[in-house]
Amino acid sequence: MLRMFSAGLSATLLALAFATPVAAAGDQANGQKLFKKCSACHSLEEGKKKVGPSLYKIFGATPGQVAKFRYSKGMTSYGATGVVWDEETLDAWLTKPKDLVKKTKMAFPGFKKEQDRADVIAYLKSLSE
């Protein structure tokens, strides 16, 4: 009996050891609600800037490149590295913008909860497809 338990436990631990981490699945509806914090400064309409640039179809876009928006030197330099906005870069940005781009003008402190970031990212991604 102990041998069967031990074999089952070993198989479970082995499966967990080789499992790839899965990012939190985003809830688009909750992301839309959370985006209200962002909408004070950002629009989702093409070409409509506010205090911040439009986030229209942000996925795959290069940071610091929205036409007719005056970015900080830090953001234009970051975009010049060839990076694009995707799940990974947006997660880092939404965690704490000033940690990703030191001299950004964006004052937002970030979303502390991983699930909140995943939800906002899922919402923004749904608008970019």
Side-chain angles (χ1 to χ4, degrees), residues 1-11:
M1 177 98 153
L2 181 58
R3 184 175 278 172
M4 286 176 31
F5 174 75
S6 178
L9 180 60
S10 294

Side-chain angles (χ1 to χ4, degrees), residues 5-97:
F5 174 75
S6 178
L9 180 60
S10 294
T12 301
L13 291 174
L14 188 62
L16 289 173
F18 287 102
T20 56
V22 177
D27 177 340
Q28 293 177 17
N30 192 49
Q32 185 175 12
K33 290 176 191 172
L34 290 168
F35 186 80
K36 289 180 183 176
K37 292 180 181 181
C38 309
S39 66
C41 297
H42 295 281
S43 169
L44 293 172
E45 294 178 41
E46 185 174 16
K48 184 177 179 183
K49 66 179 183 174
K50 292 184 174 182
V51 173
S54 168
L55 300 182
Y56 177 78
K57 293 195 175 187
I58 191 168
F59 266 79
T62 302
Q65 302 299 314
V66 171
K68 298 181 182 178
F69 186 80
R70 190 170 176 189
Y71 289 93
S72 65
K73 288 181 184 178
M75 184 57 80
T76 54
S77 295
Y78 179 63
T81 66
V83 70
V84 296
W85 290 121
D86 59 16
E87 288 93 344
E88 186 180 328
T89 54
L90 280 169
D91 184 61
W93 177 253
L94 292 173
T95 298
K96 193 169 182 185

